[in-house]
mmCIF file with all atom_site columns, all heavy atoms in Angstrom:
data_model
loop_
_atom_site.group_PDB
_atom_site.id
_atom_site.type_symbol
_atom_site.label_atom_id
_atom_site.label_alt_id
_atom_site.label_comp_id
_atom_site.label_asym_id
_atom_site.label_entity_id
_atom_site.label_seq_id
_atom_site.pdbx_PDB_ins_code
_atom_site.Cartn_x
_atom_site.Cartn_y
_atom_site.Cartn_z
_atom_site.occupancy
_atom_site.B_iso_or_equiv
_atom_site.pdbx_formal_charge
_atom_site.auth_seq_id
_atom_site.auth_comp_id
_atom_site.auth_asym_id
_atom_site.auth_atom_id
_atom_site.pdbx_PDB_model_num
ATOM 1   N N   . ARG O 1 6  ? -1.676 29.240 -32.261 1.00 0.00 ? 25 ARG O N   1
ATOM 2   C CA  . ARG O 1 6  ? -0.336 29.457 -31.654 1.00 0.00 ? 25 ARG O CA  1
ATOM 3   C C   . ARG O 1 6  ? -0.366 30.257 -30.312 1.00 0.00 ? 25 ARG O C   1
ATOM 4   O O   . ARG O 1 6  ? 0.265  29.924 -29.342 1.00 0.00 ? 25 ARG O O   1
ATOM 5   C CB  . ARG O 1 6  ? 0.582  30.147 -32.581 1.00 0.00 ? 25 ARG O CB  1
ATOM 6   C CG  . ARG O 1 6  ? 0.855  29.240 -33.858 1.00 0.00 ? 25 ARG O CG  1
ATOM 7   C CD  . ARG O 1 6  ? 2.166  29.712 -34.479 1.00 0.00 ? 25 ARG O CD  1
ATOM 8   N NE  . ARG O 1 6  ? 2.085  31.051 -35.014 1.00 0.00 ? 25 ARG O NE  1
ATOM 9   C CZ  . ARG O 1 6  ? 1.715  31.341 -36.154 1.00 0.00 ? 25 ARG O CZ  1
ATOM 10  N NH1 . ARG O 1 6  ? 1.368  30.445 -37.079 1.00 0.00 ? 25 ARG O NH1 1
ATOM 11  N NH2 . ARG O 1 6  ? 1.730  32.583 -36.616 1.00 0.00 ? 25 ARG O NH2 1
ATOM 12  N N   . GLU O 1 20 ? 11.735 19.681 -32.279 1.00 0.00 ? 39 GLU O N   1
ATOM 13  C CA  . GLU O 1 20 ? 12.433 19.966 -33.578 1.00 0.00 ? 39 GLU O CA  1
ATOM 14  C C   . GLU O 1 20 ? 13.919 20.134 -33.290 1.00 0.00 ? 39 GLU O C   1
ATOM 15  O O   . GLU O 1 20 ? 14.799 19.666 -33.953 1.00 0.00 ? 39 GLU O O   1
ATOM 16  C CB  . GLU O 1 20 ? 11.880 21.234 -34.232 1.00 0.00 ? 39 GLU O CB  1
ATOM 17  C CG  . GLU O 1 20 ? 12.380 21.582 -35.574 1.00 0.00 ? 39 GLU O CG  1
ATOM 18  C CD  . GLU O 1 20 ? 11.701 22.746 -36.148 1.00 0.00 ? 39 GLU O CD  1
ATOM 19  O OE1 . GLU O 1 20 ? 11.137 23.593 -35.450 1.00 0.00 ? 39 GLU O OE1 1
ATOM 20  O OE2 . GLU O 1 20 ? 11.808 22.910 -37.399 1.00 0.00 ? 39 GLU O OE2 1
ATOM 21  N N   . HIS O 1 24 ? 17.368 17.803 -34.236 1.00 0.00 ? 43 HIS O N   1
ATOM 22  C CA  . HIS O 1 24 ? 18.646 18.309 -34.868 1.00 0.00 ? 43 HIS O CA  1
ATOM 23  C C   . HIS O 1 24 ? 19.886 17.983 -34.062 1.00 0.00 ? 43 HIS O C   1
ATOM 24  O O   . HIS O 1 24 ? 20.903 17.464 -34.453 1.00 0.00 ? 43 HIS O O   1
ATOM 25  C CB  . HIS O 1 24 ? 18.470 19.871 -34.983 1.00 0.00 ? 43 HIS O CB  1
ATOM 26  C CG  . HIS O 1 24 ? 19.493 20.436 -35.865 1.00 0.00 ? 43 HIS O CG  1
ATOM 27  N ND1 . HIS O 1 24 ? 19.111 21.259 -36.908 1.00 0.00 ? 43 HIS O ND1 1
ATOM 28  C CD2 . HIS O 1 24 ? 20.849 20.466 -35.854 1.00 0.00 ? 43 HIS O CD2 1
ATOM 29  C CE1 . HIS O 1 24 ? 20.238 21.750 -37.524 1.00 0.00 ? 43 HIS O CE1 1
ATOM 30  N NE2 . HIS O 1 24 ? 21.266 21.176 -36.905 1.00 0.00 ? 43 HIS O NE2 1
ATOM 31  N N   . ASP O 1 26 ? 20.246 15.561 -31.821 1.00 0.00 ? 45 ASP O N   1
ATOM 32  C CA  . ASP O 1 26 ? 20.560 14.127 -31.872 1.00 0.00 ? 45 ASP O CA  1
ATOM 33  C C   . ASP O 1 26 ? 21.333 13.735 -33.121 1.00 0.00 ? 45 ASP O C   1
ATOM 34  O O   . ASP O 1 26 ? 22.224 12.945 -33.089 1.00 0.00 ? 45 ASP O O   1
ATOM 35  C CB  . ASP O 1 26 ? 19.265 13.294 -31.631 1.00 0.00 ? 45 ASP O CB  1
ATOM 36  C CG  . ASP O 1 26 ? 18.782 13.435 -30.227 1.00 0.00 ? 45 ASP O CG  1
ATOM 37  O OD1 . ASP O 1 26 ? 19.473 13.888 -29.405 1.00 0.00 ? 45 ASP O OD1 1
ATOM 38  O OD2 . ASP O 1 26 ? 17.616 13.084 -29.943 1.00 0.00 ? 45 ASP O OD2 1
ATOM 39  N N   . ASP O 1 31 ? 26.335 12.402 -35.892 1.00 0.00 ? 50 ASP O N   1
ATOM 40  C CA  . ASP O 1 31 ? 27.364 12.759 -36.885 1.00 0.00 ? 50 ASP O CA  1
ATOM 41  C C   . ASP O 1 31 ? 28.752 12.674 -36.210 1.00 0.00 ? 50 ASP O C   1
ATOM 42  O O   . ASP O 1 31 ? 29.626 12.143 -36.790 1.00 0.00 ? 50 ASP O O   1
ATOM 43  C CB  . ASP O 1 31 ? 27.144 14.223 -37.259 1.00 0.00 ? 50 ASP O CB  1
ATOM 44  C CG  . ASP O 1 31 ? 26.030 14.277 -38.393 1.00 0.00 ? 50 ASP O CG  1
ATOM 45  O OD1 . ASP O 1 31 ? 25.546 13.156 -38.737 1.00 0.00 ? 50 ASP O OD1 1
ATOM 46  O OD2 . ASP O 1 31 ? 25.685 15.321 -38.789 1.00 0.00 ? 50 ASP O OD2 1
ATOM 47  N N   . GLU O 1 49 ? 28.322 23.458 -30.712 1.00 0.00 ? 68 GLU O N   1
ATOM 48  C CA  . GLU O 1 49 ? 27.858 23.933 -32.003 1.00 0.00 ? 68 GLU O CA  1
ATOM 49  C C   . GLU O 1 49 ? 26.524 24.535 -31.904 1.00 0.00 ? 68 GLU O C   1
ATOM 50  O O   . GLU O 1 49 ? 26.169 25.498 -32.647 1.00 0.00 ? 68 GLU O O   1
ATOM 51  C CB  . GLU O 1 49 ? 27.889 22.780 -33.027 1.00 0.00 ? 68 GLU O CB  1
ATOM 52  C CG  . GLU O 1 49 ? 27.691 23.292 -34.492 1.00 0.00 ? 68 GLU O CG  1
ATOM 53  C CD  . GLU O 1 49 ? 27.651 22.180 -35.511 1.00 0.00 ? 68 GLU O CD  1
ATOM 54  O OE1 . GLU O 1 49 ? 28.313 21.113 -35.199 1.00 0.00 ? 68 GLU O OE1 1
ATOM 55  O OE2 . GLU O 1 49 ? 26.946 22.381 -36.476 1.00 0.00 ? 68 GLU O OE2 1
ATOM 56  N N   . ARG O 1 64 ? 7.773  33.895 -34.320 1.00 0.00 ? 83 ARG O N   1
ATOM 57  C CA  . ARG O 1 64 ? 6.357  33.398 -34.565 1.00 0.00 ? 83 ARG O CA  1
ATOM 58  C C   . ARG O 1 64 ? 5.338  34.442 -34.559 1.00 0.00 ? 83 ARG O C   1
ATOM 59  O O   . ARG O 1 64 ? 4.265  34.236 -35.040 1.00 0.00 ? 83 ARG O O   1
ATOM 60  C CB  . ARG O 1 64 ? 5.997  32.347 -33.516 1.00 0.00 ? 83 ARG O CB  1
ATOM 61  C CG  . ARG O 1 64 ? 6.648  31.005 -33.650 1.00 0.00 ? 83 ARG O CG  1
ATOM 62  C CD  . ARG O 1 64 ? 5.794  29.979 -32.920 1.00 0.00 ? 83 ARG O CD  1
ATOM 63  N NE  . ARG O 1 64 ? 5.894  30.335 -31.472 1.00 0.00 ? 83 ARG O NE  1
ATOM 64  C CZ  . ARG O 1 64 ? 6.627  29.611 -30.616 1.00 0.00 ? 83 ARG O CZ  1
ATOM 65  N NH1 . ARG O 1 64 ? 7.513  28.718 -31.056 1.00 0.00 ? 83 ARG O NH1 1
ATOM 66  N NH2 . ARG O 1 64 ? 6.588  29.842 -29.329 1.00 0.00 ? 83 ARG O NH2 1
ATOM 67  N N   . TYR A 2 29 ? 17.354 19.980 -39.969 1.00 0.00 ? 30 TYR A N   1
ATOM 68  C CA  . TYR A 2 29 ? 18.811 19.413 -39.905 1.00 0.00 ? 30 TYR A CA  1
ATOM 69  C C   . TYR A 2 29 ? 19.293 19.233 -41.294 1.00 0.00 ? 30 TYR A C   1
ATOM 70  O O   . TYR A 2 29 ? 20.423 19.623 -41.698 1.00 0.00 ? 30 TYR A O   1
ATOM 71  C CB  . TYR A 2 29 ? 18.839 18.140 -39.167 1.00 0.00 ? 30 TYR A CB  1
ATOM 72  C CG  . TYR A 2 29 ? 20.124 17.432 -39.153 1.00 0.00 ? 30 TYR A CG  1
ATOM 73  C CD1 . TYR A 2 29 ? 21.231 17.926 -38.518 1.00 0.00 ? 30 TYR A CD1 1
ATOM 74  C CD2 . TYR A 2 29 ? 20.288 16.275 -39.963 1.00 0.00 ? 30 TYR A CD2 1
ATOM 75  C CE1 . TYR A 2 29 ? 22.493 17.256 -38.532 1.00 0.00 ? 30 TYR A CE1 1
ATOM 76  C CE2 . TYR A 2 29 ? 21.459 15.648 -40.031 1.00 0.00 ? 30 TYR A CE2 1
ATOM 77  C CZ  . TYR A 2 29 ? 22.505 16.170 -39.349 1.00 0.00 ? 30 TYR A CZ  1
ATOM 78  O OH  . TYR A 2 29 ? 23.749 15.426 -39.502 1.00 0.00 ? 30 TYR A OH  1
ATOM 79  N N   . GLN A 2 47 ? 22.580 26.855 -36.186 1.00 0.00 ? 48 GLN A N   1
ATOM 80  C CA  . GLN A 2 47 ? 21.078 26.720 -35.747 1.00 0.00 ? 48 GLN A CA  1
ATOM 81  C C   . GLN A 2 47 ? 20.479 27.970 -35.185 1.00 0.00 ? 48 GLN A C   1
ATOM 82  O O   . GLN A 2 47 ? 19.269 28.231 -35.401 1.00 0.00 ? 48 GLN A O   1
ATOM 83  C CB  . GLN A 2 47 ? 21.057 25.728 -34.619 1.00 0.00 ? 48 GLN A CB  1
ATOM 84  C CG  . GLN A 2 47 ? 21.406 24.296 -34.992 1.00 0.00 ? 48 GLN A CG  1
ATOM 85  C CD  . GLN A 2 47 ? 22.994 24.077 -35.276 1.00 0.00 ? 48 GLN A CD  1
ATOM 86  O OE1 . GLN A 2 47 ? 23.754 24.803 -34.677 1.00 0.00 ? 48 GLN A OE1 1
ATOM 87  N NE2 . GLN A 2 47 ? 23.343 23.200 -36.158 1.00 0.00 ? 48 GLN A NE2 1
ATOM 88  N N   . TYR A 2 51 ? 16.845 28.199 -37.307 1.00 0.00 ? 52 TYR A N   1
ATOM 89  C CA  . TYR A 2 51 ? 15.456 27.990 -36.830 1.00 0.00 ? 52 TYR A CA  1
ATOM 90  C C   . TYR A 2 51 ? 14.624 29.239 -36.720 1.00 0.00 ? 52 TYR A C   1
ATOM 91  O O   . TYR A 2 51 ? 13.428 29.320 -37.153 1.00 0.00 ? 52 TYR A O   1
ATOM 92  C CB  . TYR A 2 51 ? 15.526 27.230 -35.488 1.00 0.00 ? 52 TYR A CB  1
ATOM 93  C CG  . TYR A 2 51 ? 15.800 25.687 -35.796 1.00 0.00 ? 52 TYR A CG  1
ATOM 94  C CD1 . TYR A 2 51 ? 17.100 25.184 -35.668 1.00 0.00 ? 52 TYR A CD1 1
ATOM 95  C CD2 . TYR A 2 51 ? 14.849 24.926 -36.352 1.00 0.00 ? 52 TYR A CD2 1
ATOM 96  C CE1 . TYR A 2 51 ? 17.388 23.904 -36.049 1.00 0.00 ? 52 TYR A CE1 1
ATOM 97  C CE2 . TYR A 2 51 ? 15.104 23.589 -36.697 1.00 0.00 ? 52 TYR A CE2 1
ATOM 98  C CZ  . TYR A 2 51 ? 16.435 23.153 -36.550 1.00 0.00 ? 52 TYR A CZ  1
ATOM 99  O OH  . TYR A 2 51 ? 16.617 21.817 -36.891 1.00 0.00 ? 52 TYR A OH  1
ATOM 100 N N   . HIS A 2 55 ? 11.054 29.646 -38.667 1.00 0.00 ? 56 HIS A N   1
ATOM 101 C CA  . HIS A 2 55 ? 9.789  30.005 -38.059 1.00 0.00 ? 56 HIS A CA  1
ATOM 102 C C   . HIS A 2 55 ? 9.215  31.311 -38.566 1.00 0.00 ? 56 HIS A C   1
ATOM 103 O O   . HIS A 2 55 ? 7.981  31.469 -38.735 1.00 0.00 ? 56 HIS A O   1
ATOM 104 C CB  . HIS A 2 55 ? 9.995  30.086 -36.497 1.00 0.00 ? 56 HIS A CB  1
ATOM 105 C CG  . HIS A 2 55 ? 10.110 28.727 -35.851 1.00 0.00 ? 56 HIS A CG  1
ATOM 106 N ND1 . HIS A 2 55 ? 9.259  28.317 -34.901 1.00 0.00 ? 56 HIS A ND1 1
ATOM 107 C CD2 . HIS A 2 55 ? 11.048 27.753 -36.022 1.00 0.00 ? 56 HIS A CD2 1
ATOM 108 C CE1 . HIS A 2 55 ? 9.575  27.074 -34.537 1.00 0.00 ? 56 HIS A CE1 1
ATOM 109 N NE2 . HIS A 2 55 ? 10.683 26.683 -35.181 1.00 0.00 ? 56 HIS A NE2 1
ATOM 110 N N   . ASN A 2 59 ? 5.674  31.704 -40.386 1.00 0.00 ? 60 ASN A N   1
ATOM 111 C CA  . ASN A 2 59 ? 4.809  32.712 -39.920 1.00 0.00 ? 60 ASN A CA  1
ATOM 112 C C   . ASN A 2 59 ? 4.264  33.676 -41.106 1.00 0.00 ? 60 ASN A C   1
ATOM 113 O O   . ASN A 2 59 ? 3.124  34.031 -41.113 1.00 0.00 ? 60 ASN A O   1
ATOM 114 C CB  . ASN A 2 59 ? 5.441  33.598 -38.879 1.00 0.00 ? 60 ASN A CB  1
ATOM 115 C CG  . ASN A 2 59 ? 4.412  34.500 -38.152 1.00 0.00 ? 60 ASN A CG  1
ATOM 116 O OD1 . ASN A 2 59 ? 3.286  33.944 -37.859 1.00 0.00 ? 60 ASN A OD1 1
ATOM 117 N ND2 . ASN A 2 59 ? 4.771  35.658 -37.832 1.00 0.00 ? 60 ASN A ND2 1
ATOM 118 N N   . ARG A 2 74 ? 12.384 8.489  -36.794 1.00 0.00 ? 75 ARG A N   1
ATOM 119 C CA  . ARG A 2 74 ? 11.780 9.393  -35.817 1.00 0.00 ? 75 ARG A CA  1
ATOM 120 C C   . ARG A 2 74 ? 10.948 10.444 -36.521 1.00 0.00 ? 75 ARG A C   1
ATOM 121 O O   . ARG A 2 74 ? 11.150 10.826 -37.680 1.00 0.00 ? 75 ARG A O   1
ATOM 122 C CB  . ARG A 2 74 ? 13.002 10.129 -35.161 1.00 0.00 ? 75 ARG A CB  1
ATOM 123 C CG  . ARG A 2 74 ? 13.366 9.538  -33.816 1.00 0.00 ? 75 ARG A CG  1
ATOM 124 C CD  . ARG A 2 74 ? 14.543 10.173 -33.212 1.00 0.00 ? 75 ARG A CD  1
ATOM 125 N NE  . ARG A 2 74 ? 14.245 11.504 -32.721 1.00 0.00 ? 75 ARG A NE  1
ATOM 126 C CZ  . ARG A 2 74 ? 15.060 12.274 -32.041 1.00 0.00 ? 75 ARG A CZ  1
ATOM 127 N NH1 . ARG A 2 74 ? 16.362 11.849 -31.883 1.00 0.00 ? 75 ARG A NH1 1
ATOM 128 N NH2 . ARG A 2 74 ? 14.693 13.417 -31.495 1.00 0.00 ? 75 ARG A NH2 1
ATOM 129 N N   . TYR A 2 79 ? 9.476  20.891 -43.789 1.00 0.00 ? 80 TYR A N   1
ATOM 130 C CA  . TYR A 2 79 ? 9.060  22.122 -44.309 1.00 0.00 ? 80 TYR A CA  1
ATOM 131 C C   . TYR A 2 79 ? 8.857  21.968 -45.821 1.00 0.00 ? 80 TYR A C   1
ATOM 132 O O   . TYR A 2 79 ? 9.487  21.155 -46.487 1.00 0.00 ? 80 TYR A O   1
ATOM 133 C CB  . TYR A 2 79 ? 10.033 23.246 -44.078 1.00 0.00 ? 80 TYR A CB  1
ATOM 134 C CG  . TYR A 2 79 ? 10.172 23.639 -42.629 1.00 0.00 ? 80 TYR A CG  1
ATOM 135 C CD1 . TYR A 2 79 ? 11.140 23.001 -41.828 1.00 0.00 ? 80 TYR A CD1 1
ATOM 136 C CD2 . TYR A 2 79 ? 9.366  24.558 -42.136 1.00 0.00 ? 80 TYR A CD2 1
ATOM 137 C CE1 . TYR A 2 79 ? 11.230 23.294 -40.540 1.00 0.00 ? 80 TYR A CE1 1
ATOM 138 C CE2 . TYR A 2 79 ? 9.451  24.918 -40.788 1.00 0.00 ? 80 TYR A CE2 1
ATOM 139 C CZ  . TYR A 2 79 ? 10.359 24.250 -39.926 1.00 0.00 ? 80 TYR A CZ  1
ATOM 140 O OH  . TYR A 2 79 ? 10.496 24.596 -38.654 1.00 0.00 ? 80 TYR A OH  1
#
Side-chain angles (χ1 to χ4, degrees):
Chain O
R25 293 203 298 268
E39 189 177 18
H43 194 123
D45 290 349
D50 283 356
E68 191 183 329
R83 282 203 297 260
Chain A
Y30 172 74
Q48 291 75 27
Y52 285 99
H56 284 242
N60 194 39
R75 260 177 77 174
Y80 292 91

